[in-house]
Amino acid sequence: NAGVTQTPKFRILKIGQSMTLQCTQDMNHNYMYWYRQDPGMGLKLIYYSVGAGITDKGEVPNGYNVSRSTTEDFPLRLELAAPSQTSVYFCASSYAGYGYTFGSGTRLTVV
Amino acid sequence: GENVEQHPSTLSVQEGDSAVIKCTYSDSASNYFPWYKQELGKRPQLIIDIRSNVGEKKDQRIAVTLNKTAKHFSLHITETQPEDSAVYFCAASPSNTGKLIFGQGTTLQVKP
């Protein structure tokens, strides 16, 4: 039981490049989330999903896209990377919104 | 939408003392309030949570209290130890959304 797995762990992007952050969970959780955490700050919700085929915006969705084709996977797409997207990205999952389990994070730097 | 305010931003205590972190929320329909501990460079981990139909919950040295009327909840850590040093986040879940809105975090330092 791996929990929530994120890849990659680290990535450096150039301004204007695109990338996909991968997230998969093996706990059969129906809810999945993407948060970003800027240095010394709290976690801000980017997008979330309550089940396959259903996604919704969080607090800071601009510049990101998501899809949820399966229960297990919830990739986050960054289009046209900007320095403001430099952050640590955490994926999480839960059963009906209780007891989140977080992944280990992806540290992204945009230069 | 929901807004969560957390205080203090930093807290320093002597080993063995108690620590209290307070949070307020804006959405009276919020019904779930977890607390997370994040060590440096690690992922947040759930330490305790409380639902809106309960006023207090304890787990060994950790307790959480909830005042729905005042829309605030608090984390209490007794007999603090150096390994309690970390950043603590509160969060609130607007009713039936399944999402969490986090506070800004409190850096707790426990001095030996």
Side-chain angles (χ1 to χ4, degrees), chain A residues 11-71:
Chain A
R11 183 72 187 268
I12 298 175
L13 274 184
K14 293 185 178 179
I15 294 171
Q17 288 186 322
S18 301
M19 75 165 294
T20 299
L21 281 66
Q22 302 291 345
C23 176
T24 188
Q25 53 93 9
D26 62 0
M27 298 172 286
N28 203 32
H29 283 168
N30 49 352
Y31 288 27
M32 294 188 74
Y33 316 83
W34 276 104
Y35 285 86
R36 60 176 286 174
Q37 185 176 33
D38 297 333
M41 303 292 285
L43 297 108
K44 293 293 186 183
L45 181 63
I46 304 171
Y47 271 96
Y48 68 108
S49 168
V50 299
I54 306 169
T55 62
D56 207 350
K57 295 178 180 178
E59 301 167 274
V60 289
N62 291 344
Y64 306 95
N65 276 301
V66 294
S67 59
R68 182 100 182 268
S69 56
T70 67
T71 299

